[in-house]
Amino acid sequence: MHELLMSPPSWLHALIFFVAGAVLLAIVLGFVTYAILADRKVIGYMQLRIGPNRVGGRFGLLQTVADVLKLLMKEDTIPEKADKSLYVIAPAIAFIPAFAVLAVIPFSAHLQFADIGVGLLYYMSVSGITTIGILTGSWASNNKYALIGGMRAVAQMISYEIPLVMSVIGIILMTGSLNLVDIVMEQQQLAFFIMQPLGFIIFIISGIAELSRTPFDLPEAESELVAGYHTEYSGFRWAFFMLSEYVYMFGMAALTTVLFLGGWLPIPGLGFIPGVIWFSLKFMLVVFFLVWLRATFPRLRADQLMEFAWKVLLPAALANIFITAILKELI
Amino acid sequence: MFGEGLAKGLKYTLKSLAKKEVTYSYPEETLQMPDRFRGIQKFYPEKCIVCNKCVNVCPTDCITLSGKPNPDPDKRGKIIETYDINFEICILCDLCTEVCPTEAVVMTNNFELAEYSRDELYKDLQWLDENDTNIRKENKV
Amino acid sequence: MIRTEEMLLNVGPQHPSTHGVFRIVIKIDGETIVEAKPVVGYLHRGTEKLAEDLEYTQIIPYTDRMDYLSAMTNNYVICHAVETMMGLALPERAEYLRVIVMELGRIASHLVWFGTYLLDIGAMSPFLYAFREREVIINLLNEISGGRLTFNYMRIGGVKWDAPEGWIDKVREFIPYMREQLSGYHDLVSGNEIFTTRVKGVGTYTKEDALSYSLSGANLRCTGVKWDLRKDEPYSIYDRFDFDVPVQQKGDAWSRYRCRMGEIEESLKILEQAVEQFPEGDFAKRPRVIKPPKGETYVRIESPRGEIGCYIASEGKKEPYRLKFRRPSFYNLQILPQLLKGANMANLVAILGAIDIVLGEVDG
């Protein structure tokens, strides 16, 4: 991939890039389909019941496909007084960054789309564009409840991005580079979740809040009073918002694996298993953890969410930076 | 320590992941009701003596019946001609079975009686007589 | 000049968290609720009026449907009222059977409250664990009475029929199983920091407020008033059992949660003792004609939601002249406008859920 990027442009290269991107999109969509099903089934088993088990055989393998087909066949309503162009473009603004950030993630030593020097910074900054999409969507709906819900969701996402970025500064200090491949290589002795435990915890908590999953899922809660930012979106447009959430889950889990769990590096002694398999195993562990949290915890209230981000996580992240810097000087 | 309650909660749900599920696979495996379960009634026309006790005791007045004099000249009394239960208002309370002196009306364990139109919910004598699966064994105290 | 306006919002009759068809019209200013007006009556079925035309045994199936989550206590209150008026004495076994099914119903009702309250707060799983236990209780009650939700089990003068073979042994096995599951719930929920910050300090009221609004049940005991009709005005055979009354001091939603979980534990103690002392004998002594003498009476018992009372005015006939139920959820709901005034809108569901209302009882 690197040689292709460096060589002079030609139509053949463009075709190769296009096909590679399409393959990644297909893999990601396949992941989303089965992640939604796994979410429902694992939560079901934790609640002493089986999840979907009728559509597509005993394990409900075609359940998500059936759901998406239903959403495609729904009527495409646009509210009359809504801002039409913004309304239509908002789901796209929400989804495109979700997919674009996957370009920098190294899936194994040889599988990466773009090995740029500032990979981590690219991820953090592009993922922030989604909040514009959500704000556009809630504004364009011309619905006061959607607007309030959208503002709450955006406030939550912005507040939690700050601890998210600051918690990885400890890793950057230890590695000396923003390049994701370098960060993975640095973990050959010991993975970063052992060397930076506080940073790991802060990253996981902020990541869950960024994804709007329980216990931070106020934007999507049905039993709270004000409906969310996607109230007026029905059918496939709503599916786009949900899709962007699950693709972000893919991205966040992949990023966690790369930053803290050692990427594609094997546990010492089992090096004969290819790196992609190790990556997938660690990735699935992170996704399982996210689902496990969703099954167990209640939801935080809106003001408690904000308080928690600014009063607890941010000072902890700052403390982490200082401690890392001091320890790096002393050791 | 902060987080201890959260950790205990996580351990509980993880342990439940390994436990066997408590749900039934419904249309294939149905829930077996105990003998005393109050489902729709079964009526034995030959046992009924048209005493009207069930009509009087029904809290919602859903039973209507009519009798005619016994065609057999040796026997006295009446025999039942029509017996209707309006299942839309029957609350399956079992008082009719409790007062019937001859156990002509007894409950069964059938409760899956959804229909597509309201006409079918007005059960007449013939339907109640043919409803003879899962009849309750213990009917009177 | 910026002008702010209060918004009128309707938490409509159909809503996932209002425990039935219940409507609140709230006026909000930003995030704070300025005024709240509950609107009830969507489930009114005219039980008290219908009762003027029905004999007492016929009224019993109707009482099942008032507080449908704990139907046994409703059955009991009307039987107790008529028996007090007629001066009937019940056989021992009937009293014990009544106490056992009422305490099982109490546990079942508190389990529903636990599951749905946590579902409103956002945790999905405790609902299913609570209903797994409730399924065991409902199956037990199904075996003895023939119904899963509406039992129609008690009669004037006793109960309808005796416990089947082996039923008492099943109850005896249930008690340690439920104790173990209860400690599991405490592990899962009571220590959970998210739950406690969500629930502590929310919906607080003082002892004087509680007494002046005539709250009862756990809503009263959470403020420090130790009042439980099973101990203070014992009816049936409750004076033979040794149990505590859990009382908390703070008066907020967390105290109510602790009270109700404590009550499940106490009910298990009562069940243990009742199953030990279970005598042989008749299960009913039903009079042939039920005609209470002319006069009126009011009796009250402790239901899971509070104090349920039954007032009967009789003219000496087989039907009552006037029958009135003092239904606890209706009275407990009266404090809601005061609790909501000035509260954060996000706490609405937490406050409403902690009062534990059942709409069948509020509307009657």
Side-chain angles (χ1 to χ4, degrees):
Chain A
M1 194 54 82
H2 194 71
E3 306 81 45
L4 281 174
L5 280 172
M6 291 290 134
S7 54
S10 80
W11 284 111
L12 182 62
H13 291 316
L15 188 64
I16 295 177
F17 288 141
F18 183 77
V19 168
V23 166
L24 181 65
L25 184 63
I27 294 178
V28 169
L29 288 179
F31 165 76
V32 166
T33 312
Y34 288 104
I36 297 180
L37 182 68
D39 196 10
R40 288 167 73 166
K41 286 211 71 95
V42 170
I43 291 184
Y45 281 114
M46 282 187 179
Q47 293 171 345
L48 308 166
R49 57 185 176 91
I50 36 189
N53 66 333
R54 294 274 167 194
V55 185
R58 242 186 70 202
F59 295 103
L61 295 171
L62 293 177
Q63 176 75 41
T64 321
V65 178
D67 285 335
V68 172
L69 279 176
K70 176 205 83 164
L71 286 170
L72 276 173
M73 294 197 282
K74 277 197 171 179
E75 179 188 350
D76 182 18
T77 57
I78 301 184
E80 194 179 307
K81 296 254 176 66
D83 194 331
K84 202 152 185 258
S85 46
L86 285 181
Y87 185 87
V88 166
I89 211 176
I93 301 180
F95 176 71
I96 293 175
F99 190 57
V101 293
L102 299 177
V104 288
I105 299 193
F107 298 107
S108 85
H110 312 290
L111 277 178
Q112 189 184 16
F113 276 82
D115 188 10
I116 52 183
V118 288
L120 191 53
L121 185 61
Y122 173 83
Y123 186 101
M124 296 294 176
S125 40
V126 170
S127 71
I129 301 180
T130 305
T131 44
I132 303 182
I134 293 180
L135 197 58
T136 316
S138 62
W139 170 260
S141 305
N142 194 27
N143 178 346
K144 61 185 169 199
Y145 301 138
L147 190 59
I148 297 179
M151 289 201 290
R152 254 195 215 151
V154 167
Q156 174 184 325
M157 291 176 90
I158 294 180
S159 313
Y160 278 91
E161 275 196 25
I162 300 179
L164 187 74
V165 174
M166 297 191 110
S167 62
V168 298
I169 292 183
I171 296 183
I172 301 172
L173 281 175
M174 297 188 80
T175 318
S177 143
L178 282 170
N179 188 335
L180 287 171
V181 179
D182 287 346
I183 293 178
V184 173
M185 283 298 143
E186 187 73 20
Q187 294 180 63
Q188 274 172 335
Q189 302 297 328
L190 207 54
F192 273 135
F193 77 94
I194 304 175
M195 292 211 274
Q196 293 261 306
L198 186 60
F200 181 54
I201 295 175
I202 299 175
F203 184 82
I204 291 272
I205 297 178
S206 316
I208 299 174
E210 277 291 309
L211 293 173
S212 300
R213 280 185 75 87
T214 317
F216 300 101
D217 68 345
L218 201 63
E220 296 169 3
E222 307 123 9
S223 62
E224 302 293 321
L225 202 47
V226 175
Y229 56 90
H230 46 68
T231 317
E232 294 287 341
Y233 284 91
S234 74
F236 205 62
R237 299 186 199 281
W238 178 78
F240 244 84
F241 277 117
M242 290 297 117
L243 189 68
S244 79
E245 176 186 324
Y246 274 91
V247 174
Y248 259 121
M249 196 160 103
F250 183 94
M252 191 63 77
L255 194 67
T256 313
T257 321
V258 160
L259 287 178
F260 287 98
L261 295 176
W264 66 85
L265 295 171
I267 294 178
L270 292 169
F272 52 89
I273 303 179
V276 186
I277 307 277
W278 280 111
F279 187 87
S280 315
L281 283 174
K282 294 177 193 177
F283 176 84
M284 286 200 279
L285 195 67
V286 177
V287 174
F288 172 74
F289 184 70
L290 291 174
V291 173
W292 188 16
L293 283 187
R294 181 173 183 208
T296 316
F297 289 149
R299 185 180 298 138
L300 279 174
R301 213 169 57 211
D303 53 335
Q304 288 169 341
L305 231 122
M306 291 296 150
E307 247 182 58
F308 187 62
W310 292 97
K311 292 191 193 169
V312 176
L313 286 184
L314 188 59
L318 287 171
N320 184 32
I321 298 175
F322 280 122
I323 296 175
T324 313
I326 293 175
L327 284 177
K328 198 160 159 44
E329 278 303 306
L330 293 178
I331 299 176
Chain B
M1 187 198 81
F2 181 82
E4 194 182 326
L6 300 176
K8 275 201 215 167
L10 285 173
K11 199 169 82 159
Y12 189 86
T13 39
L14 194 65
K15 279 206 280 207
S16 312
L17 188 59
K19 290 191 189 158
K20 193 171 170 339
E21 52 271 350
V22 293
T23 49
Y24 297 83
S25 169
Y26 177 60
E28 289 91 27
E29 247 182 74
T30 54
L31 189 59
Q32 295 307 318
M33 289 296 165
D35 184 53
R36 282 189 193 168
F37 186 73
R38 307 190 299 259
I40 186 72
Q41 287 91 341
K42 154 93 177 136
F43 183 62
Y44 294 98
E46 58 276 4
K47 292 192 193 170
C48 176
I49 56 171
V50 196
C51 62
N52 268 315
K53 270 194 179 174
C54 54
V55 178
N56 289 336
V57 88
C58 178
T60 50
D61 294 326
C62 66
I63 305 183
T64 43
L65 57 78
S66 69
K68 57 179 198 242
N70 198 333
D72 188 346
D74 294 331
K75 301 210 175 87
R76 302 185 315 158
K78 292 185 167 171
I79 62 167
I80 191 85
E81 189 177 356
T82 63
Y83 189 88
D84 296 316
I85 296 188
N86 183 357
F87 199 50
E88 282 182 292
I89 46 180
C90 171
I91 56 177
L92 299 177
C93 67
D94 198 21
L95 288 174
C96 51
T97 310
E98 205 175 311
V99 298
C100 179
T102 55
E103 276 193 44
V105 69
V106 296
M107 312 295 273
T108 59
N109 286 349
N110 298 332
F111 60 95
E112 287 149 343
L113 295 148
E115 300 286 349
Y116 280 98
S117 110
R118 281 198 181 187
D119 300 330
E120 327 242 350
L121 287 178
Y122 198 79
K123 310 291 186 197
D124 61 355
L125 187 145
Q126 193 194 7
W127 193 95
L128 290 169
D129 191 14
E130 286 169 355
N131 174 33
D132 53 5
T133 50
N134 296 332
I135 301 180
R136 231 169 41 163
K137 297 188 193 67
E138 184 185 359
N139 279 301
K140 290 186 77 70
V141 299
Chain C
M1 263 300 288
I2 299 188
R3 182 183 68 108
T4 58
E5 208 175 85
E6 292 170 348
M7 186 162 84
L8 202 67
L9 192 62
N10 193 12
V11 184
Q14 302 130 323
H15 193 270
S17 312
T18 54
H19 302 278
V21 276
F22 177 57
R23 176 170 158 216
I24 322 180
V25 179
I26 53 179
K27 235 191 230 173
I28 43 179
D29 180 15
E31 286 265 329
T32 331
I33 299 181
V34 170
E35 189 192 326
K37 261 198 290 225
V39 177
V40 296
Y42 287 91
L43 194 55
H44 183 68
R45 293 156 292 182
T47 316
E48 295 175 3
K49 179 72 187 167
L50 281 172
E52 290 177 7
D53 197 33
L54 294 169
E55 297 176 26
Y56 292 97
T57 317
Q58 293 177 303
I59 301 175
I60 295 177
Y62 280 92
T63 58
D64 271 334
R65 285 144 171 91
M66 274 193 332
D67 176 4
Y68 39 80
L69 293 176
S70 69
M72 285 295 189
T73 40
N74 296 16
N75 280 355
Y76 182 75
V77 71
I78 189 169
C79 292
H80 188 55
V82 176
E83 285 156 9
T84 318
M85 277 179 91
M86 291 173 67
L88 290 178
L90 266 64
E92 285 288 307
R93 194 171 164 99
E95 297 272 22
Y96 274 92
L97 275 169
R98 280 184 174 186
V99 167
I100 292 177
V101 296
M102 277 207 287
E103 293 304 316
L104 281 173
R106 192 182 304 265
I107 300 177
S109 172
H110 282 319
L111 283 171
V112 173
W113 175 77
F114 170 72
T116 51
Y117 190 51
L118 275 149
L119 199 60
D120 290 340
I121 302 262
M124 306 190 244
S125 308
F127 179 72
L128 286 138
Y129 301 133
F131 270 67
R132 172 192 56 184
E133 264 64 79
R134 185 161 189 260
E135 192 69 16
V136 178
I137 299 180
I138 293 288
N139 281 338
L140 280 174
L141 292 172
N142 194 3
E143 279 182 21
I144 196 172
S145 73
R148 281 165 65 94
L149 200 66
T150 54
F151 306 115
N152 192 17
Y153 181 56
M154 303 202 187
R155 297 282 185 269
I156 317 283
V159 294
K160 175 163 178 181
W161 27 29
D162 200 359
E165 283 282 329
W167 191 81
I168 289 285
D169 295 319
K170 286 192 200 168
V171 176
R172 199 173 279 138
E173 277 166 20
F174 169 71
I175 298 170
Y177 168 75
M178 183 73 214
R179 281 220 170 98
E180 196 188 308
Q181 303 299 327
L182 192 61
S183 77
Y185 298 156
H186 281 298
D187 267 349
L188 179 61
V189 177
S190 305
N192 194 326
E193 280 87 4
I194 302 178
F195 179 65
T196 47
T197 45
R198 190 77 197 262
V199 157
K200 275 191 183 161
V202 162
T204 320
Y205 48 81
T206 59
K207 195 196 288 196
E208 290 72 34
D209 273 339
L211 287 170
S212 68
Y213 275 99
S214 70
L215 302 182
S216 50
N219 297 317
L220 181 62
R221 291 194 278 273
C222 73
T223 55
V225 180
K226 191 169 177 149
W227 176 258
D228 183 337
L229 284 172
R230 293 174 292 170
K231 280 254 185 220
D232 296 303
E233 289 185 10
Y235 50 93
S236 183
I237 46 169
Y238 276 103
D239 42 4
R240 295 189 208 175
F241 300 123
D242 175 31
F243 61 99
D244 282 322
V245 173
V247 174
Q248 299 280 323
Q249 303 296 328
K250 289 273 177 52
D252 58 359
W254 171 249
S255 321
R256 273 168 266 166
Y257 170 81
R258 302 283 326 177
C259 272
R260 289 192 178 108
M261 299 308 266
E263 279 173 28
I264 299 184
E265 180 63 48
E266 301 304 322
S267 289
L268 285 171
K269 275 194 209 162
I270 299 180
L271 273 177
E272 242 176 359
Q273 295 168 44
V275 166
E276 281 313 300
Q277 301 171 11
F278 196 60
E280 298 294 325
D282 281 332
F283 56 86
K285 207 171 80 172
R286 295 165 68 167
R288 292 224 303 154
V289 171
I290 303 178
K291 263 197 196 173
K294 193 159 167 164
E296 52 189 38
T297 181
Y298 176 75
V299 299
R300 52 187 185 159
I301 67 167
E302 180 85 18
S303 93
R305 280 167 184 82
E307 174 186 311
I308 184 168
C310 176
Y311 167 78
I312 302 187
S314 151
E315 300 259 295
K317 297 207 195 106
K318 282 203 258 189
E319 294 100 25
Y321 178 71
R322 168 82 167 109
L323 173 70
K324 174 180 166 51
F325 288 101
R326 184 251 189 228
R327 303 179 304 271
S329 299
F330 184 68
Y331 288 74
N332 290 349
L333 197 55
Q334 304 304 315
I335 202 173
L336 189 68
Q338 176 186 325
L339 286 181
L340 285 182
K341 191 183 251 188
N344 191 338
M345 196 171 74
N347 278 332
L348 180 90
V349 213
I351 296 176
L352 181 60
I355 307 182
D356 193 10
I357 57 173
V358 170
L359 260 298
E361 215 179 30
V362 169
D363 291 337

